Amino acid sequence: MSLLERAASTAPGTARSAARRRRSALAFGALLLAVPLVAVLDLAAGRALSVGEAWRAFTGGAVDLTARHLVWEVRLPRALVALGAGAALGLAGLILQAAMRNPLAAPEVTGVTPGAVFGAVAATGAGLADWASPVAVVVSAVAGGCGGAGLLWLMTGRTRSDPAQMAVHGVLVSAALSGLTAVTLLAAPGELGSVVQWMVGTTEARTWQHWNLLWPWVLFWGAAACLTAGPLMLLRCGEQVAEAAGLVPARTRGLALLCAVALTAGAVASVGALGFVGLVVPHAALALFGADLRLALPGAALAVAVAVCGADAAAQLASRAATAWGAEHLSVPVGAVTTCVGAAVLLSVARRHAVQP
């Protein structure tokens, strides 16, 4: 084959690769632009202040001290925590799906999220932690999340390399931990409010202390997770190919799962259990950025951060609308928004695939 023919034969692949890179660059640019936009929307969406007052307080305009306090000490840390927790869940969801080779793998069904919720609820019920002590809540939630993942690891045993078996055991572990959370509720009925908040997911009453605990955790484990992108891509090609390249599949998968557990536990410790975001949005990131995890992982982090912060803004707008209808004490949690939207998306996808031949 001549050089001209060889160039002609590789031109379509080169064109497709260039088009994919352009699409990824556009998607990254759009998500980077969306992050400050949803953050500003989250700042302006709450009750007690108009949009103009919130904007003047944020930009240093002429407002009273109460408005300035609400924006800088209440709404801004809330928005940042939503962004950080969303980024952690996006990374964790995509890593779990890649490491377990299961598109339905998610923090909610691998024992991590239910374990973190149980740890936080148990510590709260025992009086060891409460909403006024974020450090104790974070420690208990992380311990619970690691415990849930450890229980799944012990139950799977020699079948850890089987994605189907691991998914089944993950559902069983999650159900058992959810049951323990319910038992804790019966044992400490006075903690009903805390239990509901942890099980649904909320960004209410988040402070700078929550943010200062969250961002170093997400930064460290997020960087570690991105370093697993190359090895996980090799594992997708099969364990024999990975071993031929010098990888130890069990060790690589274990390190990736450790990153996913740590990221999920940190997110749950900050905002509780946000349903479906770690399952649905990573698939959208794969559709935007392709199968290259070196691009898809940071893309998933940005996409879920935008989704969670946008859902928090929608929850605040719904609470503001409820006030207009006379329900002043109704506060819509962000977890309710993510669960409803995520369930609707899954139903739509399931119906679309069901009607295809």
Side-chain angles (χ1 to χ4, degrees), residues 149-160:
L151 182 59
L152 173 62
W153 193 257
L154 290 175
M155 286 186 64
T156 50
R158 295 182 179 180
T159 63
R160 289 168 191 156

Side-chain angles (χ1 to χ4, degrees), residues 80-228:
L80 291 174
V81 168
L83 289 170
L89 290 174
L91 288 168
L94 187 52
I95 288 174
L96 286 172
Q97 291 166 11
M100 299 175 68
R101 292 180 295 171
N102 190 326
L104 295 179
E108 301 95 314
V109 292
T110 51
V112 183
T113 293
V117 171
F118 172 66
V121 169
T124 303
L128 301 176
D130 55 39
W131 292 104
S133 57
V135 176
V137 173
V138 168
V139 171
S140 56
V142 169
C146 293
L151 182 59
L152 173 62
W153 193 257
L154 290 175
M155 286 186 64
T156 50
R158 295 182 179 180
T159 63
R160 289 168 191 156
S161 59
D162 186 346
Q165 289 293 325
M166 202 162 187
V168 170
H169 283 94
V171 172
L172 293 176
V173 169
S174 298
L177 291 171
S178 298
L180 288 175
T181 302
V183 171
T184 304
L185 173 60
L186 293 176
E191 300 296 331
L192 174 62
S194 297
V195 170
V196 171
Q197 290 186 71
W198 281 110
M199 295 181 69
V200 176
T202 181
T203 53
E204 291 283 349
R206 295 305 179 266
T207 65
W208 286 111
Q209 189 174 3
H210 291 92
W211 169 244
N212 290 332
L213 290 170
L214 177 63
W215 76 260
W217 185 269
V218 175
L219 183 62
F220 174 80
W221 288 107
C226 290
L227 291 177
T228 66

Side-chain angles (χ1 to χ4, degrees), residues 47 204 315-316 318-323 325-333:
R47 290 183 285 196
E204 291 283 349
Q316 292 193 74
S319 300
R320 174 177 281 191
T323 301
W325 287 91
E328 293 84 1
H329 301 290
L330 177 63
S331 180
V332 180

